[in-house]
Amino acid sequence: LEGVTTGSTFVLEQPRCVFNDYSDADIWLVVALEKAKATFNNSVAPGTAERAFQNFPESTSAYMTLNATLANYPCPKPDGDITVLRVGSETSCIQDEERPTCNGPLPGPGPYLVKFLALKGSEPVAETDWSQPIMLRAAKSPNSITTMDGGYSAGMIALTTILSILFTILLAGLVAMLVFWGSDACGGGSSTFSKPEAVTVRRYNTHHVYDQPAARL
């Protein structure tokens, strides 16, 4: 299934209508490195050190997990049933050696191969072919991430442009406000009141009132 891999898990379709003749068998999932394809021994029992998840991939190239019976994979599929398995979804048993069949996270990007194996007791009675190689997603190395302009996405460039325009508008508005306030302060002399100087009015006597003799009746 495409688009269902992460850095440590992947999804498989359940083996529906594959082991119909083996109703009393246990069905196991085998997860292996690519190099194990030619040397895999299907008679090695699950839960042994050679098939333990905790020893993968250092001392074993394949482990067995997700055991089920045919009842878990009915054929045909009932409506509403989930028909996929997520490999690598358990985290609580990674270091638990008492859970050698742990469905733990995959230790690297792969490639990995998988197959389903039906065991009756410890005897293999049926199995599927190996899958195609499965690659998981790998994180980028920090050294491979460029910091040059060419590494920016179109969205980031557009966002930077918009922010630059908004900043320019804000700066222009601030300058205009400062100019307006400055011109208002300079033109304020017409409304500034100063103390008026004292005005002295000299008193004059009219000479003709006193120099001429009194009018006779």
Side-chain angles (χ1 to χ4, degrees):
L1 298 175
E2 294 184 10
V4 287
T5 61
T6 69
S8 60
T9 67
F10 59 89
V11 169
L12 292 175
E13 187 175 356
Q14 292 180 358
R16 301 287 180 120
C17 306
V18 175
F19 299 104
N20 290 347
D21 296 333
Y22 306 96
S23 58
D24 55 349
D26 292 322
I27 302 169
W28 291 84
L29 174 69
V30 181
V31 182
L33 298 176
E34 197 170 20
K35 65 180 182 180
K37 180 177 181 180
T39 59
F40 178 74
N41 183 356
N42 62 9
S43 63
V44 177
T48 60
E50 193 174 344
R51 291 288 178 263
F53 167 82
Q54 289 78 14
N55 296 333
F56 180 83
E58 286 79 11
S59 58
T60 182
S61 58
Y63 68 95
M64 298 172 68
T65 186
L66 293 178
N67 63 307
T69 64
L70 193 62
N72 298 111
Y73 303 133
C75 178
K77 177 185 79 69
D79 293 338
D81 267 19
I82 298 174
T83 60
V84 295
L85 303 171
R86 179 165 291 279
V87 182
S89 60
E90 291 185 74
T91 58
S92 60
C93 54
I94 295 175
Q95 302 296 333
D96 187 359
E97 295 188 358
E98 293 185 1
R99 291 278 310 281
T101 60
C102 174
N103 180 30
L106 281 302
Y112 300 103
L113 303 178
V114 296
K115 69 160 47 182
F116 288 96
L117 177 63
L119 299 178
K120 194 171 183 179
S122 58
E123 184 72 21
V125 292
E127 62 185 34
T128 64
D129 293 332
W130 288 105
S131 69
Q132 294 297 315
I134 300 170
M135 290 294 300
L136 303 186
R137 297 182 182 182
K140 279 189 175 182
S141 169
N143 296 330
S144 66
I145 301 175
T146 179
T147 58
M148 303 299 291
D149 289 344
Y152 294 130
S153 66
M156 183 171 290
I157 293 174
L159 179 61
T160 303
T161 303
I162 293 172
L163 291 178
S164 299
I165 293 172
L166 292 177
F167 178 76
T168 302
I169 294 173
L170 179 62
L171 183 61
L174 181 61
V175 171
M177 188 179 297
L178 291 175
V179 171
F180 175 76
W181 283 350
S183 62
D184 186 57
C186 292
S190 60
S191 61
T192 301
F193 295 93
S194 59
K195 183 178 180 181
E197 295 183 1
V199 178
T200 303
V201 179
R202 296 183 66 183
R203 184 176 181 180
Y204 292 92
N205 292 324
T206 54
H207 296 285
H208 66 279
V209 174
Y210 299 99
D211 291 344
Q212 294 184 12
R216 295 179 183 274
L217 299 174

